[in-house]
Each structure stands twice: as structure tokens, then as C-alpha cells.
Amino acid sequence: MGYLNRSAGLGERGPVARLAWALGTSLVAIVVLVIALTSAFGRVQPGYVGIRVNNIGPGAGVASAALPVGWYFAPPGTNIYEYPVFTSTYTWTRSTTEQSPIDESFSFQDKNGLGLLADVAVAYHVDPTRAPILFQRYRSDMAAIVSGPLRNAIRNAIVERASQLGVEEIYGPHKSELIATALRKVQAYFAPAGLQVEQLYWAGNIVVPDAVLQQINAKIANEQQALAAQANVATARADADARIAKAQGDAKAIQVEAEAIRTNPEIINLRAVEKWDGKLPTYTGAGAPLPFIGAK
């Protein structure tokens, strides 16, 4: 009874109380209306392109035209997805402290079945004119595409090329060629759907079993030593050839000079004159001729 009296007393508080109650009711209605209107709009943020998807009604499906940056009316049953048109990157790595708490590195084998591991990074963006095609193909957001179809395509491309190479080739001269070949295959696969794969690169060293790595390093060291030895032999041979050539040249010069002196003895006097400093001997024997005086 007391509750009824208190409730009934509400209408007896006068016009001020009734006005306050009406204002409170209106405020609640306004808040509800604002929330409803807000939820009926979607936004495409700068750096992204939007894809409108209608889930109900006669126009259900993916809109053929992408949405630029801005706000759009999206009533219940309509969703707007965003794809990045700026360059984004993702790294699949063994580290559990980077982009994922689990090991996401790639595993593959060489042509002999030897298991290898590698961290791989990708850079990509979405072609805004083809974004609806990308959504129609995969029906998911960008994170799901990267972790699913994109990762699988990259791994398959690496596995295909690595299976044609030996571990020494993968770890050495074909390391860059392997990832470049995989990039071309992935680009050709995703470009028609609007996903532009810009770069694909190793995010660290390829992990090779320790025993195999030691063999590779030992072989490289032996090859370097062999090259150094060959270089030393070539240097020694060049030095010897130079000495032989010089000796042969000197001998030939002496032979020519001797032949010239034999056929023309006056060359000896000419050489002596060329070397004489013009000073007479301090002491000479009795009857000894003075240098170059009376010489014929």
C-alpha cells in the first residue's frame, strides 16, 4: 500500500516534477536514437578502401565499386570491410615476441629431402580498383588473407623452387634467386585479384642442421684456401717468369755489346772517355802515357 501511495504521489508533485520526468524520458529517447543512427553508419579510414557487403534484401552481395575514405550509411544487414592501400608488411618468424606468439617460420626441403627453416617477410598493398574482387574471392578481412591464402601461396612457391636445389645452393649462390622466383609466382597469382605483393625477402638466415652447416663451412674454408694457394702459385710463377725474362734480356744485352766491341774496338776508348771526370792521375810511372793523349 505504501508503494502505491508513493507511486501515485508522483503525479501530485506538480508541473516541475512532471517536466523533469518528461525531460528525462526525452533524453533517454535521444540517446537511444543517437546510438541507433551511429550504428547505422560505417567509416572508411584514411589509407584504406572500403567494400560494402549487403547481407539481406534483393541487392544482397558485394558492391562492385570500392568506397573511398568517408562515412557511409550501413543499416542492419550491411557491413563495410576495409583493405589497406598503403604498403603493409608482415614477417613470419620463429620468434614468439614479434608478430605472433607462436613459431610461424617456413619449413621446406631441398632436392635431397633435407629439412630447412626460414623467416620470411612480405610487403603488400591492395589495388583500390580491384578491392571488391579480392573480397569476392576470399570473403575475409586482410589479416585472414595474410595468414591464410598469402602465406600458403608463398610457402608453396618456396617449396617448389627449393625442391630443385641442393642445400649448398640454397644456402649459397641460389639463396637470392630462390626468393626472387617465389616472389614472381606469388605476384602473378594475386595481381588479378587486386593484391599487389611488392617484396618478398628472407628475414634472417636459412636454418640448416648443424652437421650440414659445419660441412658447408668446412667446404667453403677449403675452397678459400685452395684459391689462396692458387693465387700464391700464380704470383710465384709470375715472379719467376719476370726474373727469367730479365736475365734473358741482360744476357742478350751483354751479347750484343760484346759483339759490338769485337767488331769495333774503339768503343772501349769511347766508354772510357764518357766515364772520365777530366782529372789527370796524381802519380804516374816513368814513361807512362797520359790518359787519352796520343790514343788512336
Side-chain angles (χ1 to χ4, degrees), residues 113-166:
L114 180 67
L116 307 172
L117 295 173
D119 295 347
V120 178
V122 65
Y124 62 90
H125 74 274
V126 174
D127 179 354
T129 64
R130 293 178 176 268
I133 300 176
L134 184 64
F135 186 86
Q136 288 174 349
R137 174 179 289 187
Y138 297 109
R139 297 283 176 169
S140 57
D141 58 21
M142 199 68 241
I145 293 175
V146 170
S147 63
L150 181 58
R151 173 185 168 85
N152 291 338
I154 292 172
R155 182 179 181 276
N156 290 342
I158 292 176
V159 167
E160 180 180 347
R161 179 57 182 144
S163 65
Q164 302 169 350
L165 302 170

Side-chain angles (χ1 to χ4, degrees), residues 10 94 162 165 190 222 264 271 281:
L10 245 184
R94 287 170 294 159
L165 302 170
F190 283 103
N222 292 336
N264 190 1
R271 296 286 174 82

